[in-house]
Amino acid sequence: MAGLHFELVSPARLLFSGSVASVTIPGTEGEMGIFPGHAPILSTLKPGVVTVYKDGGGTDRIFVRGGMVEVNPQGLTLLAEVAIPMSELDAAQLGQQIKHAEEDLADAKDGEDKRKAAETLEHLKALRAAIHLAFVEHLHEHVARRHRKRRGGNGRLRHRAAKKRSDV
């Protein structure tokens, strides 16, 4: 089966362009999994993480803050207001930026300054939530891999003591 052509574009740069197995996107109506041959759609995005499942295995995770997505016979195009690869995010630095943004919001005098400061703070908090979500998902995947390794071929847990006894 042919892969899905996917492009993720932000005002700053083209973040991804190529063939993929599937893409999970944070649609405003909920998470959507897009696979080759998906029905055409046009939807808006909420802040969240786009997960790109590559043809050869492996994934890329990219934080997006709003935008729109189109699926058509040629593939999937995602136009994001803001897009940042999760690998480029630093939690400690982000925490400091949030603190400064909260101070800026408290110091804002007029309506326009308050609006801009609140928007910046909202954006940074969405980034922080995406980092936490990515960490929890990574931890879940790690635990699931370890759990699968501990299972024998018959689906039952292998006990180390029983294995040691049989080796004697």
Side-chain angles (χ1 to χ4, degrees):
M1 174 183 238
L4 171 70
H5 181 73
F6 172 59
E7 288 192 351
L8 192 155
V9 182
S10 76
R13 63 183 169 159
L14 174 67
L15 280 98
F16 193 96
S17 180
S19 181
V20 299
S22 67
V23 180
T24 302
I25 57 174
T28 52
E29 299 296 320
E31 296 285 314
M32 292 187 278
I34 309 296
F35 293 85
H38 196 284
I41 61 167
L42 185 60
S43 180
T44 54
L45 299 172
K46 67 179 182 181
V49 177
V50 172
T51 304
V52 180
Y53 298 92
K54 297 180 179 179
D55 282 329
T59 60
D60 282 348
R61 298 174 55 80
I62 303 161
F63 172 80
V64 295
R65 183 170 185 267
M68 62 182 301
V69 62
E70 178 183 13
V71 179
N72 59 39
Q74 288 73 43
L76 167 64
T77 303
L78 191 152
L79 305 173
E81 293 172 14
V82 174
I84 303 168
M86 295 296 288
S87 60
E88 295 178 11
L89 295 176
D90 178 350
Q93 183 182 27
L94 186 59
Q96 192 64 21
Q97 290 176 341
I98 289 172
K99 182 180 174 187
H100 289 285
E102 289 170 338
E103 292 168 357
D104 291 345
L105 180 58
D107 295 342
K109 302 288 185 223
D110 66 18
E112 182 63 18
D113 287 344
K114 284 187 180 199
R115 186 193 64 75
K116 286 181 182 178
E119 185 177 304
T120 298
L121 181 58
E122 178 187 335
H123 169 75
L124 293 171
K125 286 183 175 181
L127 277 170
R128 180 175 61 191
I131 288 174
H132 287 247
L133 177 63
F135 174 75
V136 169
E137 288 176 349
H138 174 75
L139 185 61
H140 177 72
E141 290 170 8
H142 175 72
V143 169
R145 274 194 308 271
R146 290 195 70 202
H147 183 69
R148 283 191 301 271
K149 283 183 179 179
R150 292 186 63 206
R151 293 204 170 268
N154 63 2
R156 294 190 181 145
L157 286 177
R158 290 184 296 182
H159 295 284
R160 289 185 180 126
K163 185 177 179 188
K164 286 180 182 177
R165 272 189 251 120
S166 66
D167 291 341
V168 178

